[in-house]
């Protein structure tokens, strides 16, 4: 249009912009109310959906108000096209950023639900975010009229050079993807490497795996090293595990009575102590006639790896108290030490001296004497 802007045009444009802003505020209030109700449900999908709408819908309302205001003004064709393209790019950016955040949150929620811990496998979240942002960037370029074919060609050639320069980084990236995809290690698992490091897996990112020891220290392990070493996973295929406690009683003990008392102590510990496995069947196995005792193994069940220390602690205390009450003796190793008097130690030395004197006297009297055996 070539006509000048009138007051009526400005009022229409202002009304359209105000309507868009008011609509954005009202929609945000409604979505906030929906978000509070979504938090009360068990399904986490409604929380993610409402969060996405809270980010996109108000901006869409404002963008719509701006577009209506631009349409009400007598703009030239070129200016109008530029305004519409700018608003479209703004809306695409908002949708892209929101989609990246929502999809990343969904990936994190899925990883947490599979692992059961607060940690997450950020490698999948980071890859997902990069892919969504890259797609949004390409759509923006296409909207602006920029051909993306030469860009894709340049990225293909440049990607080869980047891959050669970042071999170690890419190796760790694919090793992390392989570890998570094969489900050998997941966040929340307790692992022990052949090199001695052990702890709970906190996170698997694009370069390394973070392991938290029981002392609350963090161990950073490159993904390639984790994928190429011998490892014991104490959480898979089942989180529950059994532990062994070695015990010994005297030879004068009634082994049937010992087994019955020990089994009762195991049952009480499994039921009363947090971390015990109530479904575990107590097991006592005699195996060795020792120097001063008959040794046997008690098999306990625990809920997960770190529970074993508390269970052992309570079991040993209760077993010792019960054995004392039942009169069952736990013998201690005995050693016999023989001591010699100083004069007894000196006798062999004096005998050697007398033998040497007799030998020298014989040499003086009769010449050479054959050696004494």
């Amino acid at each position: 249009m070539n006509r000048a802007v009138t007051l009526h045009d400005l009022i229409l444009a202002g009304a359209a912009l105000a309507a868009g802003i008011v609509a954005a505020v009202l929609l945000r209030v409604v979505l906030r109310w929906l978000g509070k109700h979504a938090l009360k449900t068990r399904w986490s999908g409604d929380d993610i959906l409402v969060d996405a709408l809270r980010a996109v819908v108000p901006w869409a309302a404002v963008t719509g108000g701006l577009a209506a205001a631009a349409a009400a003004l007598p703009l030239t064709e070129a200016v109008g096209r530029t305004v519409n393209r700018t608003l479209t790019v703004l809306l695409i950016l908002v949708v892209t950023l929101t989609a990246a955040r929502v999809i990343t949150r969904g990936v994190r929620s899925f990883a947490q639900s599979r692992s059961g811990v607060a940690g997450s496998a950020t490698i999948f979240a980071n890859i997902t975010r990069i892919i969504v942002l890259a797609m949004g960037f390409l759509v923006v370029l296409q909207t602006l009229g920029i051909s993306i074919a030469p860009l894709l060609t340049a990225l293909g050639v440049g990607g080869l050079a980047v891959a050669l320069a970042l071999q170690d980084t890419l190796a760790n990236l694919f090793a992390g993807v392989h570890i998570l995809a094969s489900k050998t290690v997941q966040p929340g698992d307790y692992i022990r490497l052949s090199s001695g490091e052990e702890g709970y897996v906190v996170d698997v990112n694009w370069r390394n795996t973070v392991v938290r020891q029981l002392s609350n220290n963090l161990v950073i392990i490159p993904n390639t090293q984790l994928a190429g070493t011998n490892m014991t996973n104490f959480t898979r295929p089942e989180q529950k595990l059994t532990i062994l406690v070695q015990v010994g009683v005297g030879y004068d003990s009634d082994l049937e009575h010992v087994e019955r008392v020990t089994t009762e102590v195991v049952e009480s510990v499994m039921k009363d102590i947090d971390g015990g496995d109530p479904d575990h069947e107590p097991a006592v196995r005699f195996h060795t006639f020792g120097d001063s005792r008959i040794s046997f193994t008690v098999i306990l069940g625990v809920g997960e790896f770190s529970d074993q220390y508390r269970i052992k602690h309570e079991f040993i205390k209760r077993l010792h108290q019960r054995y004392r009450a039942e009169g069952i003796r736990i013998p201690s190793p005995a050693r016999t030490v023989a001591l010699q008097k100083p004069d007894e130690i000196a006798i062999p030395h004096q005998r050697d001296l007398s033998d040497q004197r007799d030998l020298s006297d014989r040499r003086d009297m009769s010449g050479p004497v054959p050696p004494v055996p």
Side-chain angles (χ1 to χ4, degrees), residues 141-161:
L141 293 180
Q142 191 71 26
T143 303
L144 295 176
I146 301 175
S147 178
I148 62 175
L151 179 61
L152 294 177
T153 304
L155 289 176
V157 176
L160 180 60

Side-chain angles (χ1 to χ4, degrees), residues 248-253 292-294 328-334:
V249 295
Y251 277 92
D252 56 347
S253 302
S292 59
R293 66 179 65 191
I294 297 177
I328 300 175
R329 187 174 61 90
I330 303 177
S332 57

Side-chain angles (χ1 to χ4, degrees), residues 208-230:
N208 49 54
T209 299
V210 182
V211 175
R212 179 175 57 83
Q213 296 178 323
L214 294 178
S215 59
N216 211 28
N217 297 324
L218 296 180
V219 180
I220 311 301
I221 305 172
N223 292 333
T224 52
Q225 179 180 345
L226 184 65
T229 187
N230 296 332

